[in-house]
Amino acid sequence: MKKPFIVANWKMNPETLIEAKEIASFSDNENVVVCPPFIFIESVKDNLKKATLGAQNCFYEKKGPFTGEVSSKMLREMGCGYVIVGHSERKENFNEEKEIINKKIKSLIEEEIIPIVCLSEKGFSDEGLEYLEKEIEVLDDIPIDKVIIAYEPVCAIGTGDSYPVDLAKEKKVFIADIIKKKNKANTLPTIFYGGSVDSENALLYMEEGGFSGLLVSTSSLIKKEFEKIINKTISI
Ligand code: PGA
């Protein structure tokens, strides 16, 4: 599961289909997973030749009376290879809890889609570690080689404030250690970093932080910035 390693999470952007196609065109790189809003998936798909299509959420049931929801199976049908689950914004705004996220992860694995499981973390303190440890419980009965973990400190998401690379690295090691203790198969988890990634810090998170990939939102919507991130990280 080495590549692709940059995941573009567009969140609820852009506002128009024309803009969506434009963003897709500069994101079209074989190392990139593009996660547009559901409504743009079909159109964006036609604009992607090299990048992999992804999504930002799913529901765990296959079909039925779940108004407004989209299943993992439907996303598979649309060609999505990756789906982000448990983003901190979903936990905060839509009360998404561990049990729900866990079911979503399982439904994605069943459809052979790779879940990108977000583990949020509140801040810089040790309290953050306790919080993070609880977040990891969402993976307790999940085969770790079937998922990508995205470590995302909430204080860095969408703020433009870079999270210190050394702290991010510590948290990465912490996550890997906890998973190693829990996971008797000894599989090493694939861990990405997310939170105010830009062209200045992207390479640092990968080279110094030891992260295998990046989850990028704000910078993925800006042509020059995203192209720089791709160009700087692509060679490693
Ligand atoms: P950001 O968002 O790149 O805008 O900080 C990252 C994320 O929420 O995944």
Side-chain angles (χ1 to χ4, degrees), residues 9 11 87 89 152 156-160 194-197 215-219:
N9 174 13
K11 303 192 177 177
H87 191 282
E89 286 156 11
E152 296 208 297
I157 293 178
T159 58
S196 290
V197 171
L215 180 53
V216 189
S217 181
T218 309
S219 302

Side-chain angles (χ1 to χ4, degrees), residues 31-202:
N31 299 283
V32 173
V33 177
V34 175
C35 302
F38 289 141
I39 191 79
F40 294 145
I41 284 181
E42 171 106 62
S43 311
V44 162
K45 188 179 172 184
D46 296 337
N47 283 48
L48 295 179
K49 288 176 185 67
K50 298 186 201 135
T52 307
L53 194 61
Q56 302 171 22
N57 183 32
C58 67
F59 192 56
Y60 52 79
E61 295 288 355
K62 285 187 173 28
K63 61 170 190 164
F66 305 101
T67 304
E69 293 297 331
V70 172
S71 72
S72 308
K73 196 174 168 62
M74 290 168 184
L75 292 172
R76 172 80 273 165
E77 189 70 20
M78 297 309 294
C80 292
Y82 298 78
V83 173
I84 298 166
V85 273
H87 191 282
S88 58
E89 286 156 11
R90 294 210 57 84
K91 290 174 195 151
E92 175 105 18
N93 299 315
F94 305 100
N95 301 321
E96 214 167 86
E97 292 186 351
K98 236 173 267 165
E99 296 70 32
I100 303 285
I101 300 168
N102 178 273
K103 283 185 186 180
K104 290 183 176 187
I105 297 170
K106 285 176 182 157
S107 79
L108 288 165
I109 292 174
E110 215 173 291
E111 295 302 327
E112 296 184 352
I113 293 174
I114 298 175
I116 299 166
V117 183
C118 297
L119 301 181
S120 356
E121 198 239 323
K122 290 282 177 200
F124 297 87
S125 64
D126 284 348
E127 205 183 308
L129 284 185
E130 265 171 48
Y131 186 90
L132 188 55
E133 188 164 355
K134 289 213 169 68
E135 289 273 294
I136 300 170
E137 287 171 10
V138 80
L139 292 165
D140 274 0
D141 57 352
I142 302 291
I144 220 67
D145 57 333
K146 297 265 193 277
V147 304
I148 289 174
I149 292 168
Y151 163 67
E152 296 208 297
V154 173
C155 58
I157 293 178
T159 58
D161 296 331
S162 290
Y163 193 72
V165 178
D166 54 339
L167 279 184
K169 188 178 179 177
E170 273 175 30
K171 305 301 168 63
K172 192 199 77 148
V173 171
F174 178 79
I175 294 168
D177 281 350
I178 300 261
I179 287 175
K180 200 174 165 193
K181 270 182 214 148
K182 291 185 178 195
N183 180 350
K184 294 177 186 76
N186 237 355
T187 319
L188 278 180
T190 301
I191 309 180
F192 284 19
Y193 174 80
S196 290
V197 171
D198 59 29
S199 60
E200 294 299 314
N201 61 28

